[in-house]
Amino acid sequence: MQPKPLLIRVHLDDNVAIVINEDGLPAGTICPGGLALRENIPQGHKVALCQIPEGAPITRYGAAIGYAARPIAAGNWVQESLVLLPEPPVMATLPLATRLPAPLPPLEGYSFQGFRNADGTVGTRNVLGISTSVQCVAGVVDFVVARIKHELLPKYPNVDDVVGLNHAYGCGVAIDAPDAIIPIRTLRNLALNPNLGGALMVVGLGCEKLQPERLLPEGAAASPEDFPILRLQDERFHGFGEMVSAIMEMAEKRLRELDRRRREACPASALVVGLQCGGSDAFSGVTANPAVGFAADLLVRAGATVMFSEVTEVRDAIHLLTPRAADEEVGRALIREIEWYDRYLERGGADRSANTTPGNKTGGLANIVEKALGSVVKSGSTPIVAVLSPGERVRRKGLVFAATPASDFVCGTLQLASGMTLQVFTTGRGTPYGLAMAPVVKVATRSALSRRWHDLIDVDAGQIATGAATIEQVGWEIFHLILEVSSGRKQTWADRWGLHNALTLFNPAPVT
Ligand code: CA
């Protein structure tokens, strides 16, 4: 028996719809409304709902995702090769702060059990972070971290974990190049992430370009008590064993401090939630991202901070975002970050079309415009109140654009530096992605993926496509799960298995 054909058309103006059925639909299928399919169309791919003349816009999300390369008949498969990429939005003429959404009613009474910090921030876990000034020490730090987990952590039950903040930076780089500020401030701000409880310590080598003092918080005085630094080349160390003992001793002092901390009831407004997607497909913009957008609105209504990122996935929908900027200054900051990224790509001989992956295309996304229109939906509907350059610390509550590359690990690292304490990650193709410093709640765009990856995916937003759940229902589910995970009452699948990707710095400056 043929399955009931299911199509989703997002907007009344759309002249294409996507196929929902898991096995796609065969040629000859008669869809609701009488449309006959002329070709086999895979799941997530687009079908023309009417005749589209050559050069005419192909419309999804109520916007042109491209122009027809040749005439397309109703019922045809609108493959990637039929969709010509439109010109990117022109920055100079973008409207700024012209369409401010009406404020949503405040959402009161929601709280979580968090770790309060002296600087007023609140962590969702209690982790000892060991900062490093250079990759040379990474092997030693990994060795020590394994020993701390085995020998020291059992003695300090209120500490959740220990993480070495290893990275590829620190030496062999143009440390005074203007763009070096990005990796340097990222490292500095990573150590200030609320989940690390203000317990700073640095392991350096001694001869590296990034001297450990440069990792001090801006404007802070360098008291050795508050900011202990250990250099492996220090002449007091005779051999590896002595270095390891000294780092263990330094770490144990910090563990004692962190172990005194307890979870306490904190308002939901203390949350700093990062949003990201990876392995997107044509469902991202109709299931997972709208549900995450609904959850983002709930968080903002509760007074929390929500960050969205990924410049190359926002660029082609920037005309939808600049009108939502809280004021013209925020609008100009958005444009400044996009233009900086355009120049960065240009230097590398690439442009925005470099973003889409083979997996995106198999998943039905024709190009970056279609991907971007589906991606920005996760920002919800509230005004954008601030813009952060890569790795800057968040300063405001509400919806914030934190400019980062779209690369999952780079975006994750930069959001951690900005102060993110939990990330919500949407995926269509599937990724086992996770972060050691903050929990990652993974939301699948399709039920088939949620079923196949039943022990990796935390939320199934695919139910929205089949009508089994609404965007609002899944949005509330995500919101409640955020509160549970932030309180340490529930674990994400990635944390349960200990699946954590490496910190990956964004270094747009030259390597020497
Ligand atoms: Ca990403």
Side-chain angles (χ1 to χ4, degrees):
M1 196 187 95
Q2 287 236 346
K4 187 169 167 269
L6 289 172
L7 301 180
I8 285 189
R9 176 197 210 176
V10 184
H11 195 279
L12 277 176
D13 293 342
D14 293 358
N15 54 15
V16 294
I18 62 166
V19 170
I20 303 306
N21 302 70
E22 285 183 14
D23 298 321
L25 288 173
T29 303
I30 307 294
C31 297
L35 177 75
L37 300 189
R38 290 165 164 263
E39 297 172 80
N40 298 336
I41 302 180
Q43 187 193 31
H45 284 252
K46 290 175 284 296
V47 54
L49 297 172
C50 56
Q51 161 87 22
I52 306 175
E54 183 174 337
I58 295 167
T59 310
R60 194 173 170 221
Y61 301 108
I65 59 167
Y67 297 91
R70 51 186 162 83
I72 305 171
N76 267 0
W77 179 11
V78 183
Q79 297 199 51
E80 185 198 334
S81 60
L82 293 177
V83 186
L84 300 177
L85 188 66
E87 289 297 312
V90 177
M91 296 293 154
T93 54
L94 289 174
L96 306 179
T98 48
R99 216 179 52 232
L100 278 186
L104 296 168
L107 192 62
E108 278 156 12
Y110 289 95
S111 61
F112 70 106
Q113 295 286 318
F115 292 99
R116 284 187 191 277
N117 293 312
D119 65 359
T121 62
V122 175
T124 63
R125 53 172 60 162
N126 189 22
V127 177
L128 171 66
I130 303 181
S131 293
T132 62
S133 54
V134 66
Q135 167 67 20
C136 310
V137 306
V140 174
V141 169
D142 283 341
F143 183 93
V144 175
V145 164
R147 272 194 60 184
I148 294 174
K149 282 188 183 183
H150 191 245
E151 296 169 33
L152 297 183
L153 271 191
K155 288 166 44 188
Y156 301 100
N158 296 315
V159 183
D160 295 319
D161 203 1
V162 52
V163 178
L165 309 188
N166 284 327
H167 55 84
Y169 200 70
C171 213
V173 290
I175 199 95
D176 295 320
D179 290 337
I181 184 66
I182 292 177
I184 295 172
R185 85 170 155 230
T186 303
L187 285 173
R188 191 191 293 148
N189 291 343
L190 273 172
L192 301 178
N193 184 285
N195 288 355
L196 303 185
L200 301 172
M201 62 178 278
V202 187
V203 176
L205 182 63
C207 59
E208 65 271 33
K209 281 186 178 164
L210 183 66
Q211 285 292 304
E213 288 78 8
R214 289 189 72 173
L215 298 181
L216 256 179
E218 263 166 314
S223 128
E225 276 298 295
D226 295 337
F227 194 75
I229 298 171
L230 186 146
R231 291 177 176 79
L232 301 187
Q233 289 171 346
D234 195 323
E235 293 194 359
R236 72 188 159 112
F237 297 131
H238 295 85
F240 177 60
E242 285 189 16
M243 295 170 196
V244 170
S245 304
I247 302 171
M248 297 274 285
E249 196 182 311
M250 189 159 103
E252 186 153 21
K253 213 167 145 227
R254 288 312 198 198
L255 286 172
R256 276 196 291 271
E257 291 165 17
L258 290 172
D259 196 53
R260 285 198 287 271
R261 309 172 79 214
R262 294 290 182 278
R263 287 189 185 270
E264 53 188 299
C266 301
S269 59
L271 285 169
V272 183
V273 174
L275 309 177
Q276 208 204 149
C277 50
S280 299
D281 65 5
F283 285 94
S284 299
V286 286
T287 60
N289 289 346
V292 169
F294 189 84
D297 283 353
L298 294 176
L299 287 163
V300 170
R301 287 171 60 192
T305 305
V306 177
M307 280 182 232
F308 72 113
S309 294
E310 303 178 285
V311 172
T312 49
E313 285 172 23
V314 159
R315 201 219 181 284
D316 279 275
I318 190 69
H319 54 292
L320 305 177
L321 297 178
T322 51
R324 272 172 63 196
D327 54 41
E328 289 192 6
E329 196 184 329
V330 171
R332 279 192 294 271
L334 262 171
I335 292 174
R336 182 193 68 217
E337 291 302 329
I338 302 279
E339 288 183 331
W340 182 93
Y341 215 91
D342 279 352
R343 289 194 298 276
Y344 165 71
L345 288 174
E346 207 180 300
R347 274 206 319 263
D351 66 18
R352 70 211 225 275
S353 67
N355 173 295
T356 38
T357 66
N360 293 153
K361 292 175 179 181
T362 313
L365 291 173
N367 59 30
I368 184 59
V369 180
E370 186 176 12
K371 187 172 173 180
L373 290 167
S375 173
V376 297
V377 178
K378 63 177 157 346
S379 68
S381 65
T382 58
I384 300 163
V385 298
V387 174
L388 301 178
S389 292
E392 280 185 339
R393 284 193 94 191
V394 73
R395 296 174 295 267
R396 283 205 57 176
K397 292 189 183 295
L399 180 68
V400 174
F401 180 69
T404 75
S407 158
D408 297 350
F409 345 99
V410 179
C411 171
T413 302
L414 287 168
Q415 287 192 350
L416 285 170
S418 295
M420 175 261 283
T421 55
L422 178 144
Q423 196 178 50
V424 179
F425 189 102
T426 64
T427 183
R429 309 298 300 166
T431 164
Y433 168 87
L435 296 168
M437 281 172 59
V440 177
V441 171
K442 285 212 290 295
V443 182
T445 69
R446 294 174 300 127
S447 295
L449 175 67
S450 302
R451 280 197 305 273
R452 204 154 43 80
W453 283 27
H454 57 92
D455 49 6
L456 288 167
I457 296 292
D458 300 294
V459 177
D460 174 20
Q463 309 167 73
I464 296 167
T466 54
T470 63
I471 288 170
E472 291 77 9
Q473 283 167 338
V474 179
W476 275 105
E477 182 188 343
I478 294 168
F479 178 75
H480 287 297
L481 185 58
I482 289 170
L483 296 177
E484 289 295 296
V485 171
S486 299
S487 304
R489 286 191 292 260
K490 260 193 185 159
Q491 257 192 324
T492 63
W493 279 110
D495 282 339
R496 227 155 113 178
W497 303 125
L499 306 180
H500 297 146
N501 290 99
L503 290 174
T504 312
L505 292 184
F506 180 38
N507 176 24
V511 172
T512 61

